[in-house]
Structures are given as structure tokens and as C-alpha cells.
Amino acid sequence: MAKQQWTVSRRVVLRGAVAAGVGAVSVGAFGAGAASADPGRRVAVFGGGVAGLTAAHELAERGFQVTVYERRALGGKARSIPVPGSGTGGRPDLPGEHGFRFFPGFYHHVPDTMRRIPFGANPDGVWNNLVAAPQARFARSDGDDFRLPLGAAHLATATPEAFRETMGASIATALKMPPAEGAFFANRLLVFFTSCDARRFGQWEHMSWRDFVRGQQRSHEFRALLSRTLTSLLVAAKEDMASARTIGNMGEQFLGNPLEIGNDGDLDRVLNGPTNDAWIDPWVSHLRELGVRFELGAEVRGLDVRDRRISGARIVDGTGAARTVEADHYVVALPAERARTLWSPDIRAVRPELAAMDNLHTDWMNGIQFYLRTSPDIVTGHAAYIDSPWAITSISQNKLWSRKLPEFGDGTVADCLSVDISNWNTPGILYGKPAKECTHEEIARETWAQITGHLNDRGEVLRDADLHSWFLDPGITWQAEQRRNVNADPLLINTAGSWDSRPQSHGALENLFLAGDYVRTNIDLATMEGASESARGAVNALLDVTGSSAPRCRTFTLYRSPELEPLRQVDADRYARGESNLFDI
């Protein structure tokens, strides 16, 4: 609830990319009617988030008969969530969400799928619903805030010296820190950008980002902005845990490609409306047109193994009835913490590497929305509250949406400040408790206090009187007896060395395929893009196993500056000899 202020067989013709090789196919349901399905074409997908929907999309376009089993809601963490009972006068409920999301320009897998989802008269489907966020704001408590314009910057980076000087000066100027600090950070970027793959996996994978940038040895401003804020704001990671390799890869996309060469679009993009309206609902409708079936309320409880194959999946459906699903192929597209509960001794005996998934770490990153009676001038884009103990970031949605907030709820909401809380383990400023130990009311008050403490220190930007209501991610549930919350949607947290614990999409179980942001991917981060990339990898593996002649799913790699490739070759020789990177001084 919102809180008031402190008080099916048929013929289908496949469209778009499928015309290249699949054409019209007969699509049938399986389950009770499995006998009518074509042999070898039935696929059960468990999980209806971005990974599961992507796998279903790619498979259906290639003529497979797909059923998606989802226990809660389609879209997973990416979905929007209506605030129950908030709509009046024929208006829809206010849109809530698990947390805001954005689509960096270097994302390619998700945008590629979006272009294949029809949306009204949009020439590129759902993809046309992405809009640029032109600014970011870095807010300080009792300090000057600054706004950073986003977009292609014409930096001279042809030589290492030019890179250090230009990037260092740009960072120091933009973030208002001493030139020496900017130069030092630019040099650390140069070390990473010129590192060979062997060093990235052998050395930087096993070091935290904070240690790599030597954050503990630098100024408070450096630690706050370049160690902590960039990781939490840009890639939803924790600087003291995430591997330098992973965060360095992201730095290579955000900072190492200033001209945005090869990007799909603007550096920072968001949807122009609630996620379900602008993306998820059109996607599900399109998948139904392709013949995909959905069973909501169905939860997989176990996988049966016979002769190094999955012979069936035990589920409990929406009525509470237990039954076994039989298919030719099984795609587990569940979050890591749920997928690993399915790895029985029989499964681990065939795929022993899956045991390492027990080492993968999850934590909390959930959102709260503040609905406002006014539209304050915070920033047209994302804001980071640098000194907030809960590592808070936000976005003002009304400025970027085509359908404005007054069209929702009771008609008096002018804007929505959608907030992500990234640190649920550090005591706050009002109650001295971490968010995990705060009631929902306390979370709302505490988050509001941390935001206003940053915005109102140089004049009143956000007033208590502006607050209409708030909505906390319903995945957070208060347990009164334990005096703490539980979280139905934890986030996979990248940690140093975790690459070794992440599985491939396919292994010795012939008809089992894994899709999710925990699977080894090029982007290597808990993101929608990682989920999409992993699903494509799972489908390609399935096509290989079945000997299918259908075109493989398109996959993309992250950008690397070609000008620095000779230096990476030098570094490969240095690493093989046990020497440090040329610029690591």
C-alpha cells in the first residue's frame, strides 16, 4: 500500500529477424497437451524476468514451443508495480517499482531485443521509448553540489600522456577535486585500459575496486566520488567488494570511450514511462503472438535427472497442485539464490562446477518512490547523494516521461522521486539503525531525511509539504517478531574472485541450460544486459545441442580502444614475465 505523508496451438507468422530463416511454424502448448507438440521442440523456461523472457523470445522466433513458468510476476526486478488502490477517477494506479533502472549506451543485447517488440507506430518498436537523461547531479551534505552534463566528450586520447592529462583535468574540473587526485585516477584508468586479458583475470579479478584505485590512501572527496559513488550510481556495485576487473570494464565503457564509438545510443537512457507500459507488457503480448505460453503462480521445486539429462521438473502451480513438467529442453532463468537450490546431489554429480555457486554473494538494493505534489528542480537525470550512509541515488521521473504523473493516481501527483537504497547495512542518521532493521515507516522517514539533508543545505529544494505519499518495494517485508525485514528480491553482488564461481550456460547435463546475470557473460555484472546476454548464450547452446540450422542469437562485446591495443600486447609479455603493468607506478 502507498503510505500517506507521515501519518494454445495455432499458426503464427514470425516477424523481423526471423524471416531470415524460420518462417511460419506450428506452435503448440505443452504440459497437459504435450503429446501434440513436435518432438524435440518443447522448451520449459523457469523464470519470467528479463533472462527468461529473452530466452523465450529467441526460442519462439526459431520455431520452438515455449512455456514460461513464473511464480510471481513477469518482468522480474525490471517490472513496474502499481500502487494498490491509488488510482481514482478512472486514472490508473500510481506506478511503483523495485528500483529505477537505466540503459547505458553501451548496452546492446537489451536494445536489440527492444527493436523486435512492436509498439504502436514506433519504427523501432519499444526501443523508441528510450530517452536520454542529459545530466547527473552529485549532491553533498553541507557542501556544494554539482551537475555533470552527459554525452560525447571530445577528449584527446591518442597517446597515454594525452589520456592522463586530458582525462585527469576533466575529472578534476567536473568533480571539483584537486588536479593531483584527478591525474591519479586517470593513471589508474590507464593501467586498467592497457592491461591484457591475462592480467585482468589473473590479477585485477582478485582485487577489489577500492584497493585498485587505492581509495583508502586518497582524500575523502576521492573516496566518496571515484571509489564509492561511481560504483553504486553507475553499476549497482560495492567498491570494497566488487572486482577491479569488473568495475574497470565498466569504466572502459563510461570513461574509456568518450566519443561513444559503437554505442547503441546516448550514454544514459531511461524509459519514457512506467516499465510495464513502455516495455514489459508489449513484450509479453508479442511473445503470446509468437505462441509462447505463460503459467503464472508456478514455482519449480526440483529437477529430476536420468542418463545425464533432465527428465522432468517438479513444480507447484498457481492452484497449489504439485505436478511434473516434461519437456525436451529446460532453461533455468532464475536468480542465483533460487537457481542454486535446484542443484541436487544428482545434478551436482554431473555438473560439479555448479557447487561453486554457493560462493556467490547477494545483498540488497531496493527502491522507494516518493510521490510529490510539485516538481522540484533536482536534475533531469540521476542524482547521487554522496554522503548518505545508505548510498542513495534517485531520478525524477516526470521530466523524462511522455505520460505525465498527474495522469495517474488521484491526479495531484506532479512528480515521482524514484530512489534506490544501495546500503541496507549501515546505520542511518535518524534512528541509528540500518535499513534492514527499520520499519517501512522508518525507512521512508530516514531516506527522506538523507535526501533533504543533501538538497536543502544551500536553500530549500525539497519540502515536507511537497510529499504526497510513498511506496516501498513490496519485496521488502517487515518481520515484527524478528524486528527486521526480509527481502524477496536480493541482488547478486559482484565480489573479487567471483568469476571462478560463475557457471557457463551449458555443461554436461545435455538438455539443461542456464540464463541469468550470474552466468558468465562479457558484461559480467548483475544487470538487465547481463541477463539478456546470458539468455542468448543459453539459446545458442541449445541450438548447438539440437543441431539446429536456425540463425544463432546475435551477441556483442564491450568496447576497447583500438589505439591502446599495442600497449596491451606489451602488457601480455610483461605479465608473462611476472612484471607489473607499464603504467602501474
Side-chain angles (χ1 to χ4, degrees):
M1 292 292 291
K3 305 292 185 178
Q4 295 302 313
Q5 177 194 4
W6 318 145
T7 52
V8 178
S9 284
R10 59 180 177 163
R11 302 284 290 183
V12 297
V13 179
L14 304 182
R15 65 180 292 275
V18 191
V22 181
V25 296
S26 177
V27 179
F30 64 88
S36 64
D38 294 338
R41 310 296 286 178
R42 305 169 303 161
V43 184
V45 176
F46 299 106
V50 171
L53 295 180
T54 302
H57 194 160
E58 300 292 348
L59 288 164
E61 285 188 338
R62 289 158 176 80
F64 287 85
Q65 300 153 21
V66 184
T67 297
V68 176
Y69 299 85
E70 167 56 45
R71 65 171 181 164
R72 292 172 64 196
L74 298 174
K77 295 184 183 74
R79 75 191 188 280
S80 49
I81 307 164
V83 181
S86 61
T88 63
R91 286 176 291 269
D93 288 336
L94 289 167
E97 54 193 351
H98 165 75
F100 70 74
R101 60 203 57 82
F102 76 120
F103 302 78
F106 61 83
Y107 278 16
H108 285 284
H109 297 92
V110 170
D112 178 69
T113 297
M114 286 178 157
R115 286 185 171 89
R116 291 182 277 133
I117 304 170
F119 191 93
N122 285 359
D124 290 303
V126 163
W127 183 86
N128 294 117
N129 292 338
L130 293 173
V131 296
Q135 290 181 317
R137 178 172 181 163
F138 295 85
R140 299 301 307 261
S141 178
D142 297 322
D144 292 334
D145 297 358
F146 54 91
R147 303 186 189 212
L148 189 66
L150 302 176
H154 298 279
L155 300 179
T157 58
T159 66
E161 293 74 17
F163 178 89
R164 277 190 298 229
E165 293 176 6
T166 309
M167 180 65 73
S170 299
I171 291 171
T173 301
L175 303 185
K176 298 181 180 179
M177 63 172 50
E181 298 273 48
F184 176 79
F185 184 70
N187 190 74
R188 297 312 294 164
L189 292 178
L190 184 61
V191 168
F192 185 85
F193 296 170
T194 59
S195 289
C196 63
D197 280 336
R199 189 183 300 280
R200 294 186 184 201
F201 281 94
Q203 185 174 2
W204 307 138
E205 166 63 21
H206 301 280
M207 178 182 291
S208 75
W209 175 250
R210 184 178 63 183
D211 289 344
F212 176 77
V213 298
R214 302 172 190 171
Q216 294 296 81
Q217 304 171 27
R218 313 307 298 182
S219 68
H220 169 75
E221 195 79 5
F222 183 100
R223 293 196 303 273
L225 288 168
L226 298 178
S227 183
R228 179 193 185 204
T229 300
L230 286 182
T231 52
S232 62
L233 174 63
L234 298 181
V235 293
K238 301 180 185 300
E239 84 281 1
D240 59 336
M241 299 178 66
S243 78
R245 182 184 69 83
T246 299
I247 305 304
N249 283 339
M250 295 302 98
E252 208 161 15
Q253 309 314 304
F254 283 107
L255 301 173
N257 185 13
L259 300 182
E260 300 176 16
I261 298 168
N263 274 16
D264 179 80
D266 294 284
L267 181 66
D268 184 359
R269 298 173 296 179
V270 297
L271 287 167
N272 64 359
T275 310
N276 276 27
D277 295 350
W279 179 23
I280 301 300
D281 289 348
W283 196 4
V284 172
S285 295
H286 181 56
L287 294 183
R288 291 187 191 278
E289 291 174 359
L290 292 177
V292 176
R293 289 185 62 243
F294 295 92
E295 285 202 23
L296 286 175
E299 180 178 1
V300 60
R301 297 288 180 85
L303 300 173
D304 297 325
V305 179
R306 183 184 306 129
D307 299 327
R308 301 175 74 84
R309 291 175 57 86
I310 302 299
S311 59
R314 288 170 277 114
I315 70 167
V316 174
D317 64 24
T319 69
R323 60 188 176 89
T324 297
V325 170
E326 294 183 356
D328 301 301
H329 314 284
Y330 301 82
V331 178
V332 173
L334 301 171
E337 71 278 0
R338 290 183 55 210
R340 62 192 175 195
T341 65
L342 300 177
W343 309 152
S344 65
D346 287 343
I347 288 178
R348 294 187 184 209
V350 182
R351 286 199 64 177
E353 73 276 12
L354 294 181
M357 281 182 60
D358 293 341
N359 301 323
L360 296 177
H361 183 73
T362 62
D363 207 337
W364 297 14
M365 185 177 182
N366 297 65
I368 183 171
Q369 289 78 55
F370 294 103
Y371 303 102
L372 308 175
R373 296 187 177 92
T374 62
S375 187
D377 180 21
I378 297 175
V379 68
T380 306
H382 294 93
Y385 304 91
I386 294 170
D387 301 310
S388 58
W390 286 4
I392 290 171
T393 51
S394 74
I395 190 167
S396 299
Q397 293 178 322
N398 199 61
K399 293 180 174 64
L400 296 161
W401 282 7
S402 57
R403 187 176 186 183
K404 302 302 183 181
L405 264 300
E407 299 180 34
F408 296 85
D410 62 7
T412 67
V413 172
D415 208 342
C416 173
L417 191 65
S418 187
V419 178
D420 276 358
I421 303 170
S422 299
N423 187 336
W424 289 71
N425 303 303
T426 297
I429 62 176
L430 286 186
Y431 303 103
K433 296 187 294 184
K436 287 180 178 178
E437 298 176 12
C438 288
T439 66
H440 292 186
E441 180 82 12
E442 289 172 338
I443 290 172
R445 288 180 177 270
E446 178 74 58
T447 305
W448 182 264
Q450 292 184 33
I451 291 173
T452 56
H454 281 69
L455 295 179
N456 295 346
D457 56 338
R458 293 292 189 271
E460 194 172 53
V461 176
L462 196 60
R463 305 172 302 161
D464 289 351
D466 295 333
L467 183 62
H468 172 281
S469 56
W470 53 268
F471 179 72
L472 181 66
D473 178 2
I476 301 294
T477 306
W478 176 249
Q479 306 292 303
E481 292 185 2
Q482 289 78 28
R483 302 295 299 172
R484 64 185 296 112
N485 291 291
V486 296
N487 189 352
D489 296 303
L491 181 74
L492 178 69
I493 299 297
N494 178 276
T495 56
S498 61
W499 180 260
D500 293 340
S501 299
R502 299 175 65 167
Q504 301 281 2
S505 61
H506 185 243
L509 281 161
E510 182 182 357
N511 62 342
L512 176 66
F513 307 89
L514 310 184
D517 56 20
Y518 65 91
V519 175
R520 289 186 177 183
T521 59
N522 186 52
I523 198 168
D524 184 37
L525 202 64
T527 57
M528 297 177 292
E529 179 75 351
S532 179
E533 182 185 347
S534 71
R536 291 164 182 249
V539 171
N540 284 345
L542 189 154
L543 296 175
D544 290 344
V545 167
T546 60
S548 172
S549 61
R552 272 29 181 188
C553 306
R554 189 178 182 188
T555 57
F556 303 83
T557 57
L558 295 175
Y559 173 84
R560 288 191 188 179
S561 169
E563 293 83 2
L564 298 179
E565 186 57 33
L567 291 172
R568 296 187 195 103
Q569 296 297 325
V570 171
D571 190 60
D573 294 336
R574 292 179 64 89
Y575 184 72
R577 295 194 298 267
E579 298 172 358
S580 63
N581 179 274
L582 186 64
F583 303 101
D584 195 1
I585 55 175

